[in-house]
Amino acid sequence: MRDNKISVVINTLNAERILEKCLESVKDAYEIVICDMHSDDKTIEIANNFNCKICYHERCGYVEPARNYAISQASGEWVLILDADELVTPELWQYLKDFTNNKNNETVLEIPRETFVIGQKLRCMRQSKLARFFKKGCAEYSNAIHEHPRVLDGNMTFIPSTPRYKECAILHYHVESIQSYLEKTNRYTDFEQDRFEAKGKKFSTCKLIFRPTFEFIKFYFLKGGIFDGKAGLIICFMNAQYKFIQLAKLYEKEFKKKNPNLIY
């Protein structure tokens, strides 16, 4: 059986940190499309070393608005979406090649993702089903931050959670430093306000108290962060902090709108 053509699509902005390792993990792809938001580090130099197809998109603060454009630049039959801080295991790459020969109407594949923080793989951050691989034209992204792609044609399936496929995963090196995480938190929670407005969400004190608390309980106790040591404790608190800042900014926005004549 032949392997159908797989285009790997990566959106980048100053992504030199582990981009070389990312590209090395998918170097056997039919093509690698780098959609860059005008980086000023070595991102493009690294991409050229791997003969990537390079296109550009204006900077928009987060990746989702550029996803569909990046996908449109791909010429392969199948598309794998990667972030520049992710690697593909050899086992996953083989699984994807085998999947392209699937004769069923399954056009979108959900892939497990393992996340590393401060050099440690965290069970509390594991995602078992992330829609990142699909036949071109069968899925698309919205422009909303943190939204998953929707299926346009065919059916979605997933990699089984069995010992046979335990190495089939995307490896996500999520946090370069606490400082970079805090900078991203500040930037992303600004964009979250647009999502709140679009969905008509309003601030409440109960949400401010209980939503961050639930976030910590979910990751630390329910998802096993308690077994991830110091790194697990840190990321669980930071996840809770993200929710707190998100809601605090919503309160601030509503307060200023109601009190335009105050000095701030």
Side-chain angles (χ1 to χ4, degrees):
M1 293 188 296
R2 72 184 184 94
D3 293 329
N4 292 306
K5 296 175 180 178
I6 298 175
S7 294
V8 178
V9 174
I10 306 170
N11 290 82
T12 57
L13 172 59
N14 294 335
E16 66 179 10
R17 178 169 66 103
I18 63 166
L19 181 60
E20 185 172 352
K21 291 182 174 62
C22 172
L23 299 178
E24 183 70 27
S25 74
V26 292
K27 63 182 180 182
D28 295 331
Y30 168 68
E31 66 177 357
I32 303 174
V33 178
I34 295 289
C35 182
D36 188 66
M37 293 184 184
H38 302 281
S39 296
D40 48 28
D41 65 355
K42 294 182 179 179
T43 294
I44 297 303
E45 178 184 335
I46 295 168
N48 282 328
N49 290 339
F50 283 83
N51 297 315
C52 298
K53 179 179 180 180
I54 299 171
C55 59
Y56 292 91
H57 192 279
E58 63 181 354
R59 292 192 184 188
C60 44
Y62 60 101
V63 71
E64 280 77 9
R67 288 284 199 206
N68 289 330
Y69 174 72
I71 293 166
S72 74
Q73 303 303 299
S75 58
E77 299 168 71
W78 292 81
V79 175
L80 172 65
I81 300 295
L82 279 186
D83 290 334
D85 59 357
E86 295 175 337
L87 312 181
V88 172
T89 65
E91 292 82 2
L92 174 59
W93 187 248
Q94 185 59 52
Y95 189 99
L96 298 180
K97 291 194 294 182
D98 293 341
F99 185 82
T100 64
N101 294 307
N102 183 10
K103 301 301 181 183
N104 299 322
N105 193 34
E106 295 168 337
T107 59
V108 180
L109 178 67
E110 294 181 313
I111 301 170
R113 182 168 73 167
E114 303 284 1
T115 292
F116 294 75
V117 174
I118 316 179
Q120 181 179 338
K121 183 169 75 173
L122 301 183
R123 70 174 69 188
C124 68
M125 294 293 288
R126 186 179 192 275
Q127 295 165 279
S128 59
K129 295 178 182 179
L130 200 62
R132 288 290 195 85
F133 188 66
F134 47 84
K135 203 165 191 177
K136 191 178 179 186
C138 292
E140 71 173 6
Y141 285 82
S142 74
N143 286 339
I145 190 170
H146 294 155
E147 292 288 333
H148 299 292
R150 65 187 184 96
V151 179
L152 301 176
D153 186 34
N155 299 315
M156 184 180 292
T157 188
F158 57 91
I159 298 177
S161 298
T162 63
R164 178 182 177 184
Y165 301 114
K166 68 177 182 178
E167 301 300 327
C168 294
I170 292 171
L171 307 182
H172 183 209
Y173 292 86
H174 180 43
V175 179
E176 177 182 3
S177 65
I178 302 299
Q179 178 182 351
S180 68
Y181 186 92
L182 293 174
E183 290 170 351
K184 185 179 290 187
T185 293
N186 188 45
R187 186 171 73 252
Y188 278 21
T189 50
D190 279 347
F191 291 116
E192 293 277 14
Q193 304 310 307
D194 294 333
R195 186 163 68 97
F196 285 161
E197 185 173 352
K199 294 185 176 182
K201 290 190 175 183
K202 302 296 182 183
F203 172 83
S204 78
T205 304
C206 285
K207 287 180 182 177
L208 184 65
I209 295 171
F210 294 111
R211 187 64 182 87
T213 302
F214 172 75
E215 194 76 359
F216 179 81
I217 291 171
K218 179 177 75 172
F219 281 94
Y220 195 66
F221 294 107
L222 302 182
K223 299 192 74 173
I226 192 171
F227 302 110
D228 287 327
K230 298 181 183 68
L233 182 63
I234 289 169
I235 198 64
C236 291
F237 267 117
M238 290 198 300
N239 287 343
Q241 180 194 44
Y242 183 97
K243 292 296 179 183
F244 184 87
I245 293 173
Q246 186 185 71
L247 292 166
K249 286 184 177 182
L250 179 60
Y251 169 75
E252 178 187 49
K253 181 179 179 181
E254 292 180 0
F255 183 86
K256 287 184 174 181
K257 188 174 182 179
K258 293 175 183 177
N259 300 276
N261 297 321
L262 293 179
I263 298 173
Y264 296 105

